[in-house]
């Protein structure tokens, strides 16, 4: 065998080995990614900002600040810590039925229109509902019972998440309003969650890791976010349903499953 042929064969064999090693490396990386913790960021970090604050009354707040256009209301029917999604719990529910409004682009997220528990109404009481108008890119809180009462520019381009009115800017009236909306366990010490927005249109999804009353939770939010000029917001479901998942933090509540969540999708 000539020296030239020997060199060519060695080069071919070496190249083949390198190619196999490269393929194995790619496969291993994909396997590692497929088994990665769901807490690893699945989208650029600039799409939300995580904040952790402790108020003077002891409430520890965990916040995800994002743009409302990044939000999708989705059915999960499991604890958020077991899901692959970032975001916080949504509104009230019973068993597998939604008791709070949850509408994406004109469709209730939990079933067909008119079906009990589908999410196209706030059952029994008109309640504070956070509404994002996709045309104007504006957030409002509207007190409604049914989807037909919502005021939006385009009925196919908005989302609406039901809860309990926080009545920010109306400190002397908010408790009466919350009572009219039948806010549960207002004076009990429970985990709490909320969604509020500021004058720049930024949305803050907030979950506490400490327990307290609804009034103390509201006070803590106003104290810690007062500098951003909050406009309004809603209380979401609380107690063990107060759940959050992000790259930086996971709060499973009491580990119960929740039906629906406010998910950050990008």
């Amino acid at each position: 065998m000539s020296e030239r042929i020997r060199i060519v064969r060695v080069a071919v064999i070496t190249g083949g080995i390198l190619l196999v090693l490269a393929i194995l490396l790619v496969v291993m990386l994909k396997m590692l990614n497929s088994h990665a913790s769901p807490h690893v960021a699945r989208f650029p970090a600039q799409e939300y900002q995580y904040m952790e604050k402790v108020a003077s009354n002891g409430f520890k707040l965990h916040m995800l600040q994002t743009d409302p256009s990044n939000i999708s209301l989705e059915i999960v029917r499991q604890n958020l810590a077991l899901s692959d999604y970032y975001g916080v719990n949504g509104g009230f529910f019973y068993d597998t039925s939604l008791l709070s409004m949850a509408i994406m682009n004109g469709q209730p997220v939990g079933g067909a229109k008119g079906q009990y528990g589908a999410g196209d109404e706030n059952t029994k009481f008109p309640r504070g509902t956070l509404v994002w108008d996709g045309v104007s890119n504006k957030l409002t809180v509207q007190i409604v019972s049914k989807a037909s009462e919502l005021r939006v520019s385009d009925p196919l381009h908005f989302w609406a998440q039901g809860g309990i009115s926080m009545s920010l800017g109306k400190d002397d009236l908010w408790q009466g309003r919350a009572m009219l909306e039948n806010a549960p366990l207002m004076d009990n010490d429970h985990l709490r969650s909320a969604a509020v927005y500021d004058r720049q249109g930024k949305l803050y999804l907030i979950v506490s890791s400490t327990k307290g009353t609804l009034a103390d939770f509201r006070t803590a939010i106003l104290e810690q976010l007062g500098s951003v000029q909050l406009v309004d917001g809603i209380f979401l479901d609380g107690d063990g349903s107060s759940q959050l998942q992000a790259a930086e933090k996971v709060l499973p509540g009491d580990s119960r499953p929740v039906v629906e969540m406010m998910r950050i999708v990008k």
Side-chain angles (χ1 to χ4, degrees), residues 1-265:
M1 182 186 299
S2 69
E3 186 66 22
R4 177 175 296 179
I5 293 174
R6 184 179 295 109
I7 292 172
V8 169
R9 285 189 174 181
V10 170
V12 170
I13 292 170
T14 303
I17 292 172
L18 290 174
L19 179 60
V20 170
L21 289 174
I23 293 172
L24 287 173
L25 180 61
V26 170
V27 171
M28 289 175 65
L29 287 173
K30 285 186 176 181
M31 290 176 65
L32 286 172
N33 286 336
S34 69
H35 291 88
S37 164
H39 308 156
V40 176
R42 290 177 172 79
F43 40 78
Q46 66 265 25
E47 296 298 348
Y48 78 90
Q49 179 184 355
Y50 172 78
M51 296 178 288
E52 191 173 302
K53 297 179 181 291
V54 180
S56 59
N57 63 8
F59 252 104
K60 191 169 187 177
L61 307 175
H62 305 266
M63 312 183 194
L64 303 178
Q65 181 204 62
T66 190
D67 190 275
S69 63
N70 295 335
I71 295 297
S72 175
L73 308 183
E74 297 200 19
I75 297 295
V76 286
R77 293 197 171 95
Q78 62 180 329
N79 189 273
L80 294 198
L82 301 177
S83 77
D84 291 336
Y85 301 149
Y86 289 176
V88 302
N89 62 281
F92 302 101
F93 62 92
Y94 177 73
D95 196 14
T96 60
S97 298
L98 292 174
L99 303 180
S100 295
M101 189 175 292
I103 298 176
M104 282 294 300
N105 300 322
Q107 295 295 323
V109 300
K113 288 183 178 180
Q115 177 184 340
Y116 176 77
D120 57 357
E121 64 177 352
N122 293 314
T123 59
K124 295 186 178 180
F125 305 94
R127 281 175 162 168
T129 302
L130 184 62
V131 182
W132 175 65
D133 189 314
V135 175
S136 63
N137 194 29
K138 300 289 186 182
L139 286 163
T140 57
V141 173
Q142 303 179 25
I143 300 172
V144 298
S145 291
K146 300 183 181 300
S148 59
E149 300 168 20
L150 294 170
R151 303 180 304 278
V152 293
S153 301
D154 182 348
L156 300 179
H157 192 194
F158 76 96
W159 56 255
Q161 173 65 65
I164 300 291
S165 298
M166 292 184 74
S167 304
L168 300 183
K170 301 176 181 178
D171 292 346
D172 56 337
L173 301 175
W174 83 267
Q175 285 184 311
R177 181 68 249 172
M179 290 175 68
L180 284 175
E181 296 180 16
N182 200 40
L185 305 172
M186 290 177 58
D187 299 324
N188 294 47
D189 288 339
H190 285 301
L191 298 172
R192 303 289 180 178
S193 59
V196 302
Y197 63 98
D198 64 22
R199 291 189 183 278
Q200 285 70 47
K202 288 295 183 182
L203 178 66
Y204 301 79
L205 306 177
I206 308 170
V207 175
S208 78
S209 57
T210 50
K211 297 181 179 182
T213 67
L214 207 61
D216 286 341
F217 180 51
R218 185 179 184 275
T219 296
I221 291 172
L222 288 171
E223 175 189 291
Q224 294 302 308
L225 288 178
S227 61
V228 300
Q229 296 182 305
L230 293 180
V231 177
D232 209 348
I234 59 171
F235 298 109
L236 298 168
D237 197 1
D239 198 19
S241 298
S242 291
Q243 300 172 18
L244 174 148
Q245 178 156 260
E248 300 83 356
K249 193 72 176 181
V250 179
L251 299 173
D254 65 359
S255 299
R256 74 179 64 175
V258 295
V259 175
E260 177 256 341
M261 72 177 293
M262 298 184 73
R263 177 189 173 192
I264 300 174
V265 294

